[in-house]
Amino acid sequence: MPKDWFEWHDLYNTEPRMQQRLQLVRESLSKSLDACPAGIIRVVSVCAGDGRDLLGTLSNHPRSKDVYARLIELNPKLVERGRAAIESAGLGKQIEFINGDATISSNYIGVVPADIVIVCGVFGHLADEAELRSLLRNLSFLCKKGSFIIWTRRYRGRANGISYFENVRKVLREAAFEEVSFKLTLTKDVGVGTHRYLSEGSALPKDQQLFVFFDLPTE
Ligand SMILES: C[S@@+](CC[C@H](N)C(=O)[O-])C[C@H]1O[C@@H](n2cnc3c(N)ncnc32)[C@H](O)[C@@H]1O
């Protein structure tokens, strides 16, 4: 098991499920960017890791110049690597990489409502379904009507008699997120979903905790 989240990212070099997951996330991001109306596209990444999903997508996307993004990540070594990648891609004026706590609402001031919210590697680190429902309610602070959210969930058994993937899809439906796509990796053990928010967003509160992340480097 990786000893920390920096080491966890090494799994992208060796694990087919991680490589396929990344590929699917980038495809979802690319399609979501395609679907955004003309003008600025605001993107936030919650618990962003080193940002390779968004940065890899922007490297060859026709809308990349329209993107203004904020990535929020707690691990300073991942942020440092992400910032270096942003600089070498010449995206420093458009992408901020914040070394901070993605669970706190104030860290989203100025970039929300977002057109695209990336919540990859988060749903598997919530205590239970009630916490997932609470996070989805709080996504109304980051989203507006029509915002995309892109999420991942690893298969780890069943909840409420259905697989964890199916449970997340059900809870999303009930929380006013409409499914745009859902794909499994070829390894069949990671799901990648894109959903659209159907309700109106709400004003971002100050210093509110949006969710609690169980900080174990497993996924
Ligand atoms: C499963 S990894 C996912 C990383 C990235 N989204 C990806 O899919 O490659 C979870 C990440 O959340 C970060 N993290 C954990 N708690 C956090 C918090 N409160 N605020 C910001 N990042 C956090 C970890 O450091 C880790 O990089």
Side-chain angles (χ1 to χ4, degrees):
M1 191 159 67
K3 73 171 175 358
D4 59 23
W5 286 113
F6 189 77
E7 202 172 271
W8 177 86
H9 281 69
D10 291 344
L11 298 174
Y12 277 119
N13 301 328
T14 53
E15 294 289 317
R17 71 177 157 77
M18 292 289 288
Q19 292 158 353
Q20 292 162 18
R21 168 193 191 274
L22 179 61
Q23 179 65 26
L24 290 177
V25 170
R26 284 179 177 166
E27 282 169 20
S28 298
L29 271 166
S30 183
K31 285 189 181 145
S32 304
L33 289 169
D34 289 340
C36 285
I40 290 183
I41 303 174
R42 288 194 165 76
V43 180
V44 293
S45 183
V46 178
C47 301
D50 62 9
R52 66 182 67 200
D53 41 19
L54 180 63
L55 299 176
T57 308
L58 295 183
S59 68
N60 62 358
H61 195 281
R63 299 291 309 273
S64 62
K65 287 279 170 268
D66 295 331
V67 170
Y68 173 72
R70 184 175 301 162
L71 288 67
I72 307 176
E73 165 59 46
L74 215 46
N75 182 302
K77 288 200 305 185
L78 289 168
V79 174
E80 194 185 329
R81 187 156 75 190
R83 283 180 182 156
I86 289 169
E87 283 314 312
S88 67
L91 293 169
K93 289 201 163 56
Q94 300 167 242
I95 305 191
E96 290 175 270
F97 214 134
I98 292 198
N99 187 197
D101 187 347
T103 71
I104 301 299
S105 62
S106 304
N107 281 327
Y108 298 88
I109 290 171
V111 73
V112 294
D115 298 282
I116 301 175
V117 178
I118 305 169
V119 271
C120 293
V122 174
F123 292 171
H125 297 278
L126 305 173
D128 52 25
E129 188 181 309
E131 189 64 20
L132 173 62
R133 287 183 187 278
S134 163
L135 167 56
L136 294 181
R137 270 196 306 279
N138 289 336
L139 284 182
S140 71
F141 302 132
L142 311 188
C143 292
K144 58 189 176 185
K145 193 172 190 172
S147 296
F148 293 95
I149 69 159
I150 297 170
W151 58 274
T152 62
R153 180 71 168 97
R154 187 158 179 208
Y155 179 81
R156 288 197 183 278
R158 300 167 83 76
N160 303 328
I162 58 174
S163 79
Y164 274 124
F165 308 134
E166 294 310 320
N167 199 50
V168 171
R169 293 167 85 187
K170 178 172 89 62
V171 173
L172 277 162
R173 256 194 321 273
E174 290 166 5
F177 287 89
E178 176 184 58
E179 186 164 294
V180 177
S181 73
F182 175 76
K183 291 189 178 157
L184 281 181
T185 53
L186 293 173
T187 55
K188 304 280 182 221
D189 56 353
V190 187
V192 177
T194 306
H195 280 68
R196 276 197 109 159
Y197 192 49
L198 298 179
S199 295
E200 301 294 339
S202 349
L204 185 71
K206 233 181 134 200
D207 293 332
Q208 183 169 316
Q209 178 129 30
L210 303 177
F211 60 101
V212 175
F213 186 101
F214 276 92
D215 195 20
L216 289 176
T218 56
E219 165 77 355

